[in-house]
Each structure stands twice: as C-alpha cells, then as structure tokens.
Amino acid sequence: PERPNIHLKEAVNARIEIDLRSGSAFTILQSMLLQKSFPDQFNNKIISYGPCQFPTLSFIVNRYLQNSNFINTNFWFLDLNFNINGNKLSALWNRKNIYDINIVKILFELSNNNKLEVYSVINKKSKRLRPLPLNTLDLQKNISKYFGLSSSDTMKIAEGLYNKGLISYPRTETQSFPQKFDFKEVINEISLNSEYSSYSKFLLENNINFSTRVGIKNDKSHPPIYPVKNFDGDRLSIEFKVYDLISRFFLASCSNDLIYEEKTIILKLASELFTISGQKIIENNFLSILMPFYNFKSKTIPDLLEGMIITDYLLEIKEGKTSPPKLLSESDLLTLMDKNGIGTDATMHDHIKTIQDRNYAINKNGTFKPTQLGIALIESYRTLDIPLIDPINRSQTEIDLQKISKGIEKKEVIIQKWINKIDQSFLQLNNDKEKFIKNFKEIFKKHYNLS
C-alpha cells in the first residue's frame, strides 16, 4: 500500500466546494425569480441548477433547435447503374451532391452515351482493430445502443451483477488490463457457459500470451469491466444480456484483429468519376464472438480489370434533400459529455437521470427532447450570455481540477478563481433578472408544444 495522494483529495474537495456554491446559489435565485413571476406554474417548486446538469441539458436543447429549425435544401447528383455478367451494381458519383441542377444537367449531357471505362482497381488488405477493454462509459453506450436501456438502469444492473460476484467493479475509466492479469483464469471460468465455450476453447488453444489493446484512459483504481464467474441464471433476463455483452467484449478484446480485403473500383465516364467498393473477410477473429454487437458487412463485387469497357449502363439525374441532424440518443449524449468533460464515467448517468427527474428533458423512443421548462431555462441564460450553461465552461473547470490532482496548482487558487467567475454570473443574473424573466416568458410560450 502507498500513502494516499493528497492532490487527488484536494481536487475532490475543490470540486465539491465549487459545485455546491454554484448549485445552491443559482438554484435559490432562479427558483425565487420563477416562483414570484409565474406562481401558477412554479409556486413552491424548486427549479434546480447544477454545474453538470445544465451543460448536459444544453446539448439536448442545441440539437433539438438544430433539428426543428432546419431548412431542407434540394440537391442533385448523377446516379450510375451498370450490369456485369448478370450482376446489377451501383456506383457513387465522386462529386457527391451539387445544389445547382443546371450544372448537373450539363455534366449529364457531357457524360451520357460515352464509354464507361474501368479507370482503376485497388486491392488492399485491411484490418479492424479488436475493441478496447470495456470501461463504464463504453458499457453504457453499448447497452443503450443495443438494448435501449438508460445509462442509469445499466448501472443498477451492472452493480447487481457485481454484488453477485459475476463481474468486476463496474465504475471504471480504465481501458487496459494490468500486466499480470490472468486472462486464462477468466476465460476458463466463462468457458463453462455454452455461449462462449467453443470460442474460449479456440482462444486457449491458439493464444499463448494474451494481451489487449491499451487505451488512453486509466483511473489507476480499477481494471476494465470483465466477467468474473459463469452466469447460470435466466438467459432471457436483462441481467444476462448485460453480462453477455460484457463477456463477449472481454473475449473480443483478447482476440486478434479482424482481417479483410478491400476492393475499390473507380469508373470513368467522359470526365466524371464514379466509385464502387466492397469488402471480403479473410479472418473473422474477434468478430466471431462479437457478431451481435459489431457492425461489419461484407460486400462482394466482381473482379474487373483496368481498361475494361462496360457497355450496359444507365446514367440518371437523381434529386435529394438535406436532412436535419437527428435528436440525441443516450449514446450520443454520453459521447458529447465525455468529449467535453461533463461529469465522470461514474457520474454521467446520474446527470442524465437528474435532468429527466427535474422535468427538463424527456427520453422518448430512444431520443432526447427538452421540455418547455428545460428549453426556456437554457435559452434564457443564453440570451444573457451567462457562461455557466456552456459545456466549455465546465470543461475548463475539469481541466483546472486536473491541475490540482497533479500538484500543478493549489486548491485554494482554483477555488477562488471559479468562485469569482460564479460570483460574476450570479450578479449578472440578479442585475438582469427582469430581462431574464421577460426572455423566459417569451421562450416558454413559444415552445408550448413541448409542455
């Protein structure tokens, strides 16, 4: 055992003080303002502010507004279909989409009825890397993606599996196993399960020295998530589904990379280029065990030779429309939070649950929408240009906290720096409270459809 790291302790204390001061101050002020101005809607209700809640909510609001305010734009492109030995194939135009139909018509006239030539054929061997060892964030994102569970529910189930001794500790940022980790012991244990027995046997017989990829994240506290004991319960239960994903990812991380051949054929029609590509798996490796949770589609295309002329083809002008950005899924939201340093692997799911409990956002059919209250709060703060709702602001806080944990900065210096920033924002909201209420009322009314 080593002596406790005083810098880590100081960083935690700094986070607690900064978050408590900002959270309590803004919760009290905005609650009083809204209760007084809108007694029918908010009488005696606490309208909470949180330094991670609001940046999380702002992601949802931003994407919702991008989606709802999006204006579709028409575009046109050349669509090439051709026939080779009875195989009907389609090639993509290298120019992609053009927003002026007259230009597309000119290019069509210049290209159509010319010789379609195989301009180049490129064959190369490629690989898909085996997955990194599973940490909390990746577990939450994958469970949300494949089973539609919230990150909060995922953690409840994972903690239940941990308490039963079936998996390792599920709250971890680490993406690499320690050097002396006994992979064979774990693989032997889960080989008792018929779901993994044949693949486990294959690994044990073909890999002498196990190793995994090493990710950049390491909390130096807990290893990645892995199965500890065989699950012999109900295989139709959601608990087994979570356990199954963890087990398959563990086995996949111990495996070799997927090897495939990629073929790219470029076709030339007058001056226009079109591309068709395909992939053929050479060695499945980790895909054999991770098939239910990994998207790799083989696509076989015929062997064509450079200089070959294709006579049976059809060139057409096609029209399309730009699409709005999709509303955020839970996996998308977790990715944005991670990228911007909002919360930790162990707390992100709490922040997502909190904004739903506070009625600031809802998750419907797997995607998030702000509520009338949620969008009015975020947009009212934004019109005053108060930075505390901005994810970048929280990200900068986390960077400063890291400086404390590494011994670069003193706790007192960082706390005072952020108390000054919070104080400025607090005074700004208090001084501009009439403008805040006016903006809130307008935005709240505008988005009645979200009530």
Side-chain angles (χ1 to χ4, degrees), residues 43-91:
N43 188 35
N44 295 323
K45 287 187 178 179
I46 301 298
I47 314 297
S48 78
Y49 167 87
C52 288
Q53 285 176 43
F54 270 50
T56 302
L57 178 60
S58 73
F59 288 131
I60 296 171
V61 170
N62 292 347
R63 180 59 63 88
Y64 172 77
L65 291 174
Q66 289 169 6
N67 177 278
S68 57
N69 296 334
F70 188 84
I71 299 174
N72 296 105
T73 305
N74 291 344
F75 61 81
W76 293 266
F77 60 95
L78 294 182
D79 184 57
L80 177 67
N81 291 277
F82 60 99
N83 199 322
I84 295 289
N85 300 325
N87 294 314
K88 292 183 179 180
L89 301 165
S90 180

Side-chain angles (χ1 to χ4, degrees), residues 4 20 32 53 60 82 159 189 195 203 206 226 281 286 304 332 334 377 401:
L20 180 59
M32 289 173 65
Q53 285 176 43
I60 296 171
F82 60 99
E159 284 161 5
E189 174 63 28
E195 293 281 343
L203 283 181
N206 290 277
Y226 64 93
I281 294 177
F286 78 81
L304 301 179
D332 296 330
L334 286 164
L377 282 170
L401 292 170

Side-chain angles (χ1 to χ4, degrees), residues 297-321:
K297 294 181 179 178
S298 294
K299 179 185 175 183
T300 303
I301 58 175
D303 294 323
L304 301 179
L305 300 175
E306 288 185 11
M308 180 178 173
I309 302 298
I310 300 170
T311 56
D312 187 2
Y313 74 85
L314 176 64
L315 185 69
E316 296 178 294
I317 296 176
K318 292 286 181 75
E319 183 179 357
K321 285 186 177 182

